[in-house]
Amino acid sequence: MPPRPCALCEKARAMIKRPKTGQQICRDCFFYVFETEVHNTITEAQLFKSGDRVAIGASGGKDSTVLAYVMKTLNERYNYGLNLFLLSIDEGITGYRDDSLETVKRNQQQYKLYGWTMDSIVSQVGRKNNCTFCGVFRRQALDRGAAMLNVDHIVTGHNADDIAETVLMNIMRGDIARLGRCTAICTQGDDTIRRSKPFKYAYEKEIVMYAYFKKLDYFSTECIYSPDAYRGHARAFLKDLEAARPSAIIDIIHSGEAFEIKEEIKATQKVQQTCQRCGYMSSNTFCKACTLLEGLERGMANAGITDRGTKQLQAEGPTPENLRTIPFFEYKPTSTSTTIDIEAS
């Protein structure tokens, strides 16, 4: 049987079957359609404007490595006029983050999680709720690192699989507040840096294929603390759905986009305010990061995870002055600065 020709150019031999569409195409056409789809996502959502200083959240993994490469490629091809930076957060996970940061080449900024490493946090809270601490601390650390670089925008490598998993998680938890915003491609508070997901519609399998065929240098080891995470259940369920129906990932995202929260439900949601301790956005008097950190410092590590635990923490009285706290957050956007270019490897 002769080799099947590419379904797009009809000239080269088909080497890849796209997980997203089932098309059998050649390598060059795969690169082109993958990059073009990301470009269409960026332009249709109007994510950037010329002159923006954009920080790419870089972990050294496949998603952020491909994101950095594609952002640089598209910036040059379509003349976006962006100033690109790499920004990494060191959570302090021995054998994982210290190794993965070795693959983040050039122009990186690293920040610890407010005096605690994830290894030390896990030793206090165990492996059941550790991802809560990592997610909350890392998100705020990323904003703080970006503010220090005076950037206008943060882009992260969250892909279609990640977003579909989040939709499923919020449904299973009955989290109405997050369900209403988890599919948004771009988010921004009044006092936070604009954050977006250019890979919102990009399948994880295609990102891996892109990295493989481009021979990009990335770190592929899974976080040693993630197997026990709640997200793992949603991920396993999603993989089963994808095996039966490849379009399930995009279908779930579109379903999430179509959700409408009733006005009476919106009225019960907490209004965003500013944390009185660190100045970061919060729906309570103190933000989640400050609450979690206080629990760690007081030796009540799990107290900041649930509302009930937070009340127990508050019952202990005022925060002792000798405890470590998060520095005050102040975001001052700037429109002029020196460009730092990203060299794709």
Side-chain angles (χ1 to χ4, degrees), residues 49 62 135 230 326 341 343:
K49 62 181 183 298
K62 64 183 186 311
Y230 181 68
I326 298 175
D341 190 28
E343 295 293 331

Side-chain angles (χ1 to χ4, degrees), residues 6-112:
C6 172
L8 295 179
C9 71
E10 299 181 346
K11 296 179 181 179
R13 181 169 65 91
M15 297 180 59
I16 298 169
K17 182 178 180 180
R18 291 194 69 188
K20 187 175 183 179
T21 64
Q23 281 183 314
Q24 297 187 39
I25 57 180
C26 67
R27 186 167 57 181
D28 288 340
C29 283
F30 170 68
F31 293 152
Y32 177 77
V33 295
F34 181 89
E35 292 163 1
T36 301
E37 288 176 2
V38 176
H39 169 65
N40 291 340
T41 298
I42 289 172
T43 54
E44 288 172 9
Q46 299 181 329
L47 296 184
F48 313 114
K49 62 181 183 298
S50 181
D52 275 355
R53 295 166 56 83
V54 180
I56 302 170
S59 66
K62 64 183 186 311
D63 298 315
S64 63
T65 299
V66 173
L67 178 62
Y69 185 94
V70 171
M71 283 295 297
K72 180 179 186 295
T73 299
L74 298 181
N75 191 36
E76 295 174 349
R77 179 183 300 165
Y78 297 104
N79 194 26
Y80 290 167
L82 306 179
N83 300 323
L84 301 177
F85 301 80
L86 290 183
L87 174 61
S88 298
I89 305 302
D90 184 357
E91 303 97 333
I93 304 176
T94 303
Y96 171 67
R97 182 58 73 219
D98 50 355
D99 290 339
S100 72
L101 285 176
E102 290 299 317
T103 65
V104 180
K105 310 292 185 180
R106 294 173 287 276
N107 306 330
Q108 65 175 316
Q109 300 289 328
Q110 300 178 33
Y111 301 92
K112 296 291 183 181

Side-chain angles (χ1 to χ4, degrees), residues 166-180 230 265 269:
T166 303
V167 172
L168 292 174
M169 288 171 61
N170 289 330
I171 290 174
M172 290 188 287
R173 292 187 300 205
D175 194 331
I176 301 298
R178 288 188 174 88
L179 187 58
Y230 181 68
I265 299 298
Q269 304 301 309

Side-chain angles (χ1 to χ4, degrees), residues 272-289:
Q272 181 177 299
Q273 52 185 304
T274 300
C275 175
Q276 293 185 8
R277 184 172 297 163
C278 75
Y280 195 70
M281 64 177 179
S282 175
S283 57
N284 296 295
T285 303
F286 301 117
C287 71
K288 196 67 173 179

